[in-house]
Amino acid sequence: VHEAGGASTSGASAGSTGPTLTLNRPLTCTGVVAPELEPGGSGEVWVMLLCRSSGYNLDLQVLLRNLGAHNLALQLLQLPIADEEKPDELQPRAVLRAAYRLIKALASGYAQLQAELVSAIPNFVAHVEKKLIAHDISPTGTISAVLKNNRAACALVSVE
């Protein structure tokens, strides 16, 4: 998505289950586009807002780890996708990228979870060639977050 223009949000509308977002100009998309985003298309579209903070929130990371959020994200990474992008795989690919974002955010600066995630690195490596890349995430970026500044986690990586 290149531009959304001055967007505004409002409360739930009649028949809606949540907040709505109204754009003051058409949404411009590049690459493979979901049918819901085609001119005249309609339907539900998930929008993920990126919130950057100045550091890690270890309390939140520990809470999410204790709730098993990383295990759910690892389960989502088992979704089957082809090596090449296909229009019918836009939603599973978006879910996979979101799972990588969550894992990266949970692992960043959290040595205990980094060590737990070392065993998942082969799964991350298997996705490298599947083009699961966005402006802020990739499988290799997640691997880097799992190993960054953690010699103990690096020592757990097998050569095989």
Side-chain angles (χ1 to χ4, degrees), residues 41-126:
S42 65
E44 291 185 20
V45 177
W46 287 79
V47 177
M48 183 174 279
L49 300 176
L50 181 62
C51 178
R52 298 204 184 269
S53 63
S54 60
Y56 309 121
N57 185 338
L58 188 58
D59 292 332
L60 182 59
Q61 289 172 301
V62 171
L63 173 65
L64 289 171
R65 180 192 162 273
N66 290 339
L67 291 173
H70 63 293
N71 290 324
L72 294 173
L74 291 171
Q75 288 176 6
L76 288 172
L77 293 180
Q78 303 304 314
L79 289 172
I81 58 169
D83 289 342
E84 295 297 320
E85 293 184 64
K86 296 180 180 179
D88 63 330
E89 288 186 342
L90 289 175
Q91 289 178 337
R93 287 178 173 275
V95 169
L96 290 170
R97 285 190 299 270
Y100 275 115
R101 279 186 191 96
L102 177 61
I103 292 168
K104 182 178 177 182
L106 288 172
S108 296
Y110 185 9
Q112 183 180 359
L113 186 59
Q114 287 172 327
E116 289 180 33
L117 290 171
V118 167
S119 63
I121 288 178
N123 296 335
F124 303 159
V125 171

